[in-house]
Amino acid sequence: MAVMGSNLARNFAHHGYTVAVYNRSPQRTRDMIADHGSEGDFLPAESLADFVASLERPRKAMLMVQAGKGTDAVIAELVPLLEEGDMIIDGGNAHFADTMRREASVREHGIHFVGTGVSGGEEGALKGPSIMPGGSAESYESLGPILEAVSAKAPDGTPCCAHLGPDGAGHFVKMVHNGIEYSDMQLIGEAYDLLRRGSAMRPAEIADVFTDWNAGELESYLIEITAEVLGHTDAETGRPFVDVVVDQAGQKGTGRWTVQTALDLGVPVTGIAEATFARALSSGTVQREGLKGLLDGPNAETTATPKEFASDVRKALYASKIVAYAQGFDEIRAASAEYGWDIDLGLPSALWRSGCIIRAGFLDDITKVWRSNPNLPSLLAAPEFAKIVNEAGPAWRRVVAFAASAGIPVPGFSSALAYFDSLRSSRLPAALIQGQRDFFGAHTYKRTDKDGVYHTDWSGDRSEEKMS
Ligand SMILES: NC(=O)C1=CN([C@@H]2O[C@H](COP(=O)(O)OP(=O)(O)OC[C@H]3O[C@@H](n4cnc5c(N)ncnc54)[C@H](OP(=O)(O)O)[C@@H]3O)[C@@H](O)[C@H]2O)C=CC1
Ligand SMILES: O=C(CO)[C@H](O)[C@H](O)COP(=O)(O)O
């Protein structure tokens, strides 16, 4: 009955379901019933045993508790109280590997375990979140209609909830959703910083720029709330709210997991990685405090007009955002192959169209791309997206070049551009790295002109040997 659980319970009740509710600390349950008990049919319980006893069979028990140890603790307490055929649904931000482990262990008791991503924050949970369930297809048959009823609806009326695949598939997709969320937020932050430092615009003016952008191709929840946050004035000081907030970004772990998992899968999610490291750097007070005044550099403003500059930043933001999404989908595809999930690539973007934090107008276009050609090597290979990033090129380069010359850090914009340039390069310096690896470790290399694996006798006469 913390923020997500209580709002989701109210959402179920608003849809006509009778909802049994329980929280480890009973006061939270009492508060929720006192504040919202009249909104629907609730059965409050002060012990887990009473909670379980009040459920219809087969029982469906949904957890919205702290991910990690909290989730394990509740499952351990819940399993002995349940029977074969019952179902545990974990809606928290669990690591997909934990979900795979929990699913296997709970299945031994004949109990279904559904790990599901839930996104939309406090408001989404109440009014309709994007729901990303994994678990067995059998469990989705009975659970799906309930989750679909309370989920957000896409502009075409489709529920933003669908079965993504077995065991950890749902939580994996939610994890990548959060990784993309990190990237999106970092890119927006960089756009703000460029306009603020590079064009001397005030937060309220930048809020207007974001409001304007929200009417175009960048239309999204995160752009919308950015305008709200930038337009907000601190009541106590009368200063822009953004200027009174400590500039250290928090993180609960999902961005880090996305990057760690991508490293294991060998998928370059550079935008998500830069965004995650940027949060860590902002919070690294030892280094930031310790180096204050020691590091030198420029502090320049653009010579472009604010309108021209904002137009370039908008294009760079959109192109970098497309790169981040392309990388996220690459990670989902790689994990689907690795774990045998068989995820339909068109589904995540379809489920993200409404309700979730990264909801955006262009998710409809992404869904259409994957639906018409699921075998594309990358989202960037879709002609419509290739056209956008290609056309953004000159503005993107002007922004990154300006940022470097002006001393404004843009790790998201510049890493996205480097990714784009790497992919379009016919030759990469990886050939030299292969030579170095062979030199110091006899790691061998392949040649461009003939088949086989080769090694050069670097410490001897430098003759080349065909190894296989
Ligand atoms: N907040 C958000 O915007 C979103 C959150 N999520 C995920 O949803 C879940 C709930 O999030 P949120 O509402 O923010 O709350 P928190 O993540 O802060 O979790 C608090 C809840 O977990 C319970 N809890 C913690 N440890 C235990 C334990 N050992 N045994 C029993 N209960 C325990 C708390 O009970 P008690 O009151 O007794 O301490 C409380 O009900 C999390 O997994 C979160 O990652 C997903 C999407 C968005
Ligand atoms: O899952 C969410 C949104 O989709 C949660 O709000 C999550 O807490 C966001 O991650 P972080 O706290 O690391 O910024």
Side-chain angles (χ1 to χ4, degrees):
M1 290 300 101
V3 58
M4 291 298 285
S6 57
N7 278 357
L8 207 51
R10 290 169 62 201
N11 185 354
F12 282 120
H14 296 168
H15 282 82
Y17 295 103
T18 302
V19 196
V21 290
Y22 165 79
N23 192 77
R24 176 181 62 174
S25 316
Q27 192 54 44
R28 276 203 207 254
T29 311
R30 291 178 205 142
D31 291 345
M32 198 287 262
I33 294 300
D35 294 342
H36 305 289
S38 61
E39 291 174 15
D41 209 357
F42 295 104
L43 298 174
E46 298 220 348
S47 76
L48 205 50
D50 284 348
F51 166 79
V52 169
S54 65
L55 298 178
E56 245 175 41
R57 289 180 196 178
R59 301 176 182 89
K60 294 182 182 66
M62 182 154 189
L63 318 184
M64 276 321 267
V65 300
Q66 204 170 53
K69 283 185 186 151
T71 306
D72 275 325
V74 180
I75 293 170
E77 221 185 313
L78 196 53
V79 166
L81 302 171
L82 297 177
E83 290 172 316
E84 242 182 271
D86 289 347
M87 193 183 296
I88 297 175
I89 305 120
D90 175 18
N93 275 334
H95 192 293
F96 74 98
D98 284 339
T99 301
M100 292 170 84
R101 168 180 59 80
R102 288 168 185 147
E103 197 275 336
S105 128
V106 166
R107 187 164 11 101
E108 282 178 16
H109 301 269
I111 297 166
H112 298 281
F113 188 84
V114 175
T116 182
V118 176
S119 178
E122 205 173 337
E123 195 184 332
L126 181 65
K127 296 183 180 159
S130 167
I131 307 182
M132 296 152 252
S136 67
E138 187 194 345
S139 58
Y140 195 76
E141 273 173 34
S142 61
L143 182 65
I146 304 172
L147 294 183
E148 287 179 20
V150 301
S151 73
K153 307 295 174 288
D156 65 4
T158 328
C160 290
C161 172
H163 183 232
L164 282 155
D167 51 65
H171 272 141
F172 193 93
V173 169
K174 173 69 196 323
M175 178 188 79
V176 173
H177 164 285
N178 280 27
I180 292 173
E181 177 180 305
Y182 274 48
S183 179
D184 223 340
M185 292 167 78
Q186 173 65 23
L187 293 169
I188 290 172
E190 289 175 19
Y192 152 74
D193 208 23
L194 281 161
L195 296 176
R196 183 93 194 254
R197 290 208 253 170
S199 196
M201 291 175 83
R202 285 177 289 113
E205 291 172 313
I206 304 173
D208 291 341
V209 171
F210 277 95
T211 302
D212 187 40
W213 288 357
N214 200 36
E217 77 276 12
L218 282 169
E219 187 255 305
S220 61
Y221 172 72
L222 283 170
I223 295 280
E224 180 191 328
I225 65 164
T226 300
E228 296 276 344
V229 174
L230 288 174
H232 185 60
T233 303
D234 175 51
E236 204 177 312
T237 59
R239 294 171 59 201
F241 168 79
V242 72
D243 287 349
V244 299
V245 176
V246 174
D247 60 343
Q248 294 169 15
Q251 50 177 316
K252 288 189 176 160
T254 45
R256 190 175 67 242
W257 297 344
T258 314
V259 179
Q260 285 169 338
T261 308
L263 287 171
D264 289 340
L265 292 167
V267 181
V269 293
T270 53
I272 300 170
E274 285 296 351
T276 308
F277 285 131
R279 286 197 191 189
L281 190 152
S282 75
S283 311
T285 46
V286 174
Q287 292 85 0
R288 286 184 72 194
E289 288 297 322
L291 291 170
K292 224 176 213 167
L294 286 174
L295 305 181
D296 213 358
N299 224 342
E301 281 180 23
T302 177
T303 51
T305 66
K307 201 172 166 197
E308 283 167 354
F309 187 58
S311 166
D312 275 0
V313 173
R314 176 175 58 79
K315 287 176 192 160
L317 173 56
Y318 194 39
S320 304
K321 180 175 162 132
I322 290 169
V323 164
Y325 276 73
Q327 295 178 345
F329 278 98
D330 287 347
E331 185 168 351
I332 292 174
R333 193 201 315 249
S336 180
E338 174 77 16
Y339 298 107
W341 288 331
D342 200 20
I343 296 176
D344 163 9
L345 272 196
L347 259 191
S349 48
L351 303 189
W352 297 340
R353 284 179 298 169
S354 289
C356 68
I357 304 299
I358 63 169
R359 61 184 181 263
F362 88 141
L363 282 161
D364 228 7
D365 302 331
I366 297 183
T367 306
K368 282 180 197 142
V369 162
W370 290 128
R371 290 265 149 88
S372 62
N373 193 349
N375 298 320
L376 279 176
S378 158
L379 185 64
L380 299 180
E384 48 275 65
F385 285 110
K387 185 168 184 278
I388 297 167
V389 285
N390 283 332
E391 285 180 358
W396 204 357
R397 290 177 201 289
R398 276 195 297 273
V399 168
V400 172
F402 162 74
S405 67
I408 301 172
V410 287
F413 282 5
S414 52
S415 81
L417 183 58
Y419 179 81
F420 170 84
D421 281 333
S422 297
L423 287 182
R424 69 179 193 86
S425 297
S426 57
R427 292 279 295 161
L428 289 171
L432 175 59
I433 292 171
Q434 283 299 80
Q436 293 164 332
R437 291 179 70 242
D438 191 56
F439 189 105
F440 64 67
H443 292 300
T444 73
Y445 53 90
K446 290 181 181 169
R447 296 181 56 105
T448 56
D449 52 356
K450 51 188 177 185
D451 285 341
V453 174
Y454 297 86
H455 168 60
T456 289
D457 181 10
W458 295 102
S459 53
D461 64 359
R462 304 214 164 175
S463 59
E464 184 178 74
E465 191 180 347
K466 186 168 188 222
M467 310 303 285
S468 62

